[in-house]
Amino acid sequence: MYNHIINFIRETFHQPEGVVPLHAPCFIGNEKKYLNECIDSTFVSSVGKFVDRFEEMVAEYTGAKRAVVCVNGTNALHMAMLLVGVEHGDEVLTQPLTFIATANALSYIGAHAVFLDVDRDTMGLSPAKMRKWLQENAEIRCSECFNKTTGRKIKACVPMHTFGHAVHLEELAELCREYHIELVEDAAESMGSFYKGRHTGTFGKVGAVSFNGNKTITTGGGGMLLFMDEELGKQAKHLTTQAKVPHRWEFVHDCVGYNYRMPNINAALGCAQMEHLQEFVDNKRELAWKYATYFEGTDIQFFTEPRDCTSNYWLNVVLLKDKEARNRFLEETNDAGIMTRPVWQLMNRLPMFKDCECGDLSNAEWLEARIVNIPSSVRLS
């Protein structure tokens, strides 16, 4: 039934046989050179010139005042919520249509997730649905937001830019200011994505990026914290390096810290990848245009970037007419060696989060039944 799509994908990736991966890393620059330099220097752990350089390159590209590397995106999210003051027992508003790291990170603190619906045009947290839930369930007391039913403090809001497509950031940011809630952006998938000309991850108090092996650029494993507040960035650097007070030989630590430091050898890979980031994004946007053109006029909808968003199109998305069609598409494409994947199971359906409070999730449920990711790698000439 889907042979024409399978043939189109093989032609697009110039791969007539074998497995077409969902998203393979692309190494075309100085990766081996920088790795050799790192090894020759013997500074392969958490101290070295590539760590500082990688942070500077990401800060410059994103427009952040400060960028701080972490060992992975989940650790970056965990640290982000600690930095904005999320404590044990607090509530965090987030979306159910997300990778599990979003929910896991707040669970490490002992916070409670409240799952609110997404918008169909972004696949990310809906400002309208969030406003409705807050109007019905929240109250402000002494400049803090509380859940009227549970009595818990609603401390933070964590939208996720799904597959690189930005949520409606200005509306969410305004809503968070109105209700005295801290905005933390899960920008794990959106390195190279912009909202109204400004990079994702720089609208909230903290943004968290991932450089996992399947991301637009990779350090093998790794993450980054983005800040528009330099002092908060300095605090993050201190906490992620075991809260060690600088000294030539003494080991003095002034609070409980975290070993979330990215090794220099990973940062070396990141520096080489950053040199080609815009090239990769341009390449992926060209691929998205090819897909959009191909699927136009068919009964399969290709998901295009929302208004005000310039997306990295990390993973391309098609929407099938229903769950049955989605499952048939997944089976036929994977049987033919075309790697395709459904979206994640909604967080509120998982056993560890099944008792979390939820709003109306009709959009998330509609999308979960229809989303399929199709091959999205950078295509080399």
Side-chain angles (χ1 to χ4, degrees):
M1 182 176 179
Y2 296 113
N3 283 340
H4 60 296
I5 296 173
I6 291 165
N7 291 335
F8 173 76
I9 290 174
R10 287 200 174 279
E11 290 170 7
T12 299
F13 284 90
H14 310 293
Q15 195 166 337
E17 56 186 25
V19 175
V20 180
L22 189 65
H23 195 286
C26 184
F27 305 118
I28 58 172
N30 289 314
E31 286 86 358
K32 290 182 180 179
K33 176 185 175 184
Y34 293 167
L35 287 172
N36 283 333
E37 283 184 29
C38 183
I39 292 167
D40 290 344
S41 74
T42 73
F43 286 92
V44 295
S45 191
S46 56
V47 176
K49 71 174 186 178
F50 290 110
V51 170
D52 296 335
R53 183 177 169 191
F54 188 34
E55 289 178 336
E56 291 164 2
M57 292 174 81
V58 171
E60 181 180 2
Y61 182 87
T62 61
K65 295 287 180 63
R66 182 75 188 263
V68 176
V69 289
C70 286
V71 71
N72 57 51
T74 309
N75 293 152
L77 268 176
H78 178 215
M79 181 54 56
M81 282 183 267
L82 290 172
L83 288 165
V84 302
V86 176
E87 297 179 341
H88 184 92
D90 287 348
E91 292 184 351
V92 177
L93 309 182
T94 190
Q95 59 200 65
L97 189 75
T98 186
F99 182 57
I100 196 168
T102 312
N104 277 345
L106 64 91
S107 299
Y108 299 159
I109 303 171
H112 301 272
V114 177
F115 296 116
L116 303 180
D117 208 5
V118 299
D119 285 320
R120 290 193 190 184
D121 66 330
T122 68
M123 298 181 287
L125 189 62
S126 168
K129 293 291 189 77
M130 179 171 155
R131 178 174 291 280
K132 185 175 186 297
W133 186 89
L134 286 168
Q135 288 172 341
E136 294 173 354
N137 296 278
E139 62 182 2
I140 305 299
R141 303 200 304 258
C142 301
S143 298
E144 291 186 310
C145 188
F146 289 86
N147 186 322
K148 290 187 290 187
T149 302
T150 65
R152 299 183 188 121
K153 186 189 301 179
I154 303 170
K155 184 62 182 180
C157 166
V158 185
M160 200 271 280
H161 304 303
T162 310
F163 305 129
H165 300 292
V167 299
H168 297 302
L169 273 164
E170 284 187 348
E171 296 166 61
L172 278 176
E174 177 55 36
L175 192 53
C176 286
R177 284 191 292 269
E178 182 181 338
Y179 279 87
H180 305 275
I181 297 170
E182 300 288 2
L183 177 59
V184 173
E185 289 179 70
D186 184 344
E189 301 173 357
S190 63
M191 189 67 193
S193 294
F194 293 79
Y195 175 81
K196 293 189 176 182
R198 183 170 160 185
H199 200 282
T200 54
T202 64
F203 287 78
K205 196 164 187 179
V206 191
V209 179
S210 171
F211 301 112
N212 190 35
N214 65 348
K215 294 300 190 293
T216 303
I217 61 169
T218 183
T219 56
M224 189 81 77
L225 290 158
L226 303 179
F227 302 91
M228 298 308 288
D229 180 338
E230 287 193 58
E231 288 304 312
L232 193 61
K234 288 179 184 177
Q235 184 184 353
K237 189 69 173 178
H238 182 60
L239 289 174
T240 55
T241 54
Q242 298 282 29
K244 184 179 182 299
V245 179
H247 192 280
R248 288 198 301 164
W249 56 78
E250 294 284 1
F251 287 91
V252 179
H253 305 263
D254 58 6
C255 64
V256 173
Y258 300 83
N259 187 14
Y260 284 177
R261 303 167 291 182
M262 176 185 285
N264 195 41
I265 200 162
N266 295 86
L269 200 61
C271 290
Q273 290 272 285
M274 279 299 296
E275 291 171 355
H276 291 275
L277 172 57
Q278 194 55 54
E279 180 184 347
F280 291 168
V281 172
D282 291 344
N283 185 296
K284 289 166 70 59
R285 287 180 61 79
E286 180 185 350
L287 173 62
W289 177 83
K290 287 180 180 293
Y291 275 139
T293 302
Y294 176 80
F295 284 107
E296 189 175 3
T298 72
D299 60 355
I300 296 176
Q301 178 190 345
F302 179 76
F303 189 95
T304 55
E305 61 195 3
R307 62 177 169 83
D308 301 321
C309 175
T310 304
S311 177
N312 66 4
Y313 283 97
W314 169 53
L315 288 184
N316 288 294
V317 170
V318 289
L319 297 169
L320 281 294
K321 67 177 181 178
D322 54 32
K323 191 170 185 178
E324 183 181 351
R326 182 204 71 171
N327 291 344
R328 188 163 58 247
F329 184 95
L330 287 165
E331 184 175 1
E332 287 191 26
T333 51
N334 280 284
D335 284 349
I338 306 298
M339 191 177 289
T340 60
R341 293 290 183 268
V343 76
W344 320 279
Q345 190 172 25
L346 297 186
M347 294 298 101
N348 58 297
R349 301 191 198 278
L350 301 179
M352 55 283 202
F353 300 120
K354 64 181 175 62
D355 295 326
C356 291
E357 187 171 354
C358 299
D360 162 49
L361 302 180
S362 53
N363 288 336
E365 291 165 353
W366 187 91
L367 287 164
E368 181 196 29
R370 291 163 174 81
I371 286 176
V372 174
N373 292 128
I374 57 178
S376 305
S377 305
V378 171
R379 295 172 307 127
L380 299 176
S381 300

